[in-house]
Amino acid sequence: MTTVGEGNVTGATPGATIWLTGLPSAGKTTIAYALADRLRGEGRRVEVLDGDEIREFLSAGLGFSREDRHTNVQRIGFVAELLASNGVHVLVPVIAPYADSRESVRKRHQREGTPYVEVHVATPVEVCSERDVKGLYARQAAGEISGLTGVDDPYEEPEAPDLRIESQNQTVQESAAAVHTLLTERGLA
């Protein structure tokens, strides 16, 4: 978890969870940090719940089975809702490959009356494998790992996300601006 902002100003917008889902190397984390910088510049309190950091600190010991992935997403969703309900803009760049896991996080937010926005960073697997930020696609191709989301493990694309971004067709700043525009339209930025 990385703190990116200062305190909320009295009368400022409420907190919200902005969940960025997509394949590995789709650009989720890069977009989240660009958006965090912009929101911080507007005086918002912001947390980025980076999937890799969560795996290390909150979900250590979990594997990559469907059940473990679901547990990981639920833990992240709980923390995100808790922070968002206390006025923080929570950016969650996490793959969350299963639709039912993401839906249960959305429902938790709805039950608590906490704003939730789902952004699908819809970068094609071919582009992600070229970017291969962490070398996962190369390791999978070499037979060193299996269970890579979108290659030999499923990724269930959101059917109706609040926003779909094709990061291969725009800059990081344009992608972050698109999310910011949606938040503004919903009174969350």
Side-chain angles (χ1 to χ4, degrees):
M1 291 180 271
T2 304
T3 302
V4 186
E6 299 295 323
N8 242 355
V9 178
T10 303
T13 59
T17 295
I18 300 93
W19 197 291
L20 295 97
T21 180
L23 297 174
S25 297
K28 302 175 301 296
T29 302
T30 305
I31 294 166
Y33 278 105
L35 178 59
D37 287 344
R38 182 167 180 175
L39 291 169
R40 181 191 64 224
E42 297 171 352
R44 307 280 185 251
R45 291 173 36 192
V46 179
E47 289 287 341
V48 177
L49 300 182
D50 181 276
D52 293 333
E53 291 177 359
I54 294 293
R55 279 268 178 198
E56 182 179 352
F57 298 108
L58 185 62
S59 294
L62 288 180
F64 291 91
S65 68
R66 183 179 179 102
E67 180 179 298
D68 282 356
R69 289 177 191 245
H70 178 77
T71 299
N72 185 50
V73 168
Q74 297 316 296
R75 288 177 181 176
I76 297 167
F78 173 79
V79 172
E81 194 284 322
L82 183 65
L83 290 168
S85 69
N86 283 284
V88 178
H89 282 68
V90 185
L91 307 178
V92 185
V94 174
I95 295 168
Y98 302 112
D100 60 341
S101 295
R102 293 189 307 265
E103 184 58 24
S104 67
V105 170
R106 179 186 293 276
K107 285 181 179 175
R108 170 188 299 279
H109 282 72
Q110 287 172 340
R111 278 193 311 272
E112 300 300 325
T114 305
Y116 178 88
V117 175
E118 183 178 72
V119 178
H120 179 207
V121 183
T123 310
V125 68
E126 299 78 21
V127 174
C128 294
S129 66
E130 288 172 18
R131 291 178 181 171
D132 204 8
V133 177
K134 298 173 192 165
L136 296 174
Y137 292 92
R139 291 179 58 209
Q140 190 276 337
E144 297 172 14
I145 62 170
S146 62
L148 182 59
T149 302
V151 178
D152 60 352
D153 209 56
Y155 176 73
E156 299 170 356
E157 290 190 7
E159 291 182 14
D162 298 291
L163 178 66
R164 193 176 313 275
I165 291 175
E166 295 180 355
S167 70
Q168 73 279 11
N169 296 329
Q170 58 191 37
T171 68
V172 171
Q173 293 305 322
E174 289 170 336
S175 295
V179 180
H180 190 273
T181 297
L182 176 64
L183 296 177
T184 301
E185 289 170 356
R186 294 193 176 179
L188 301 173

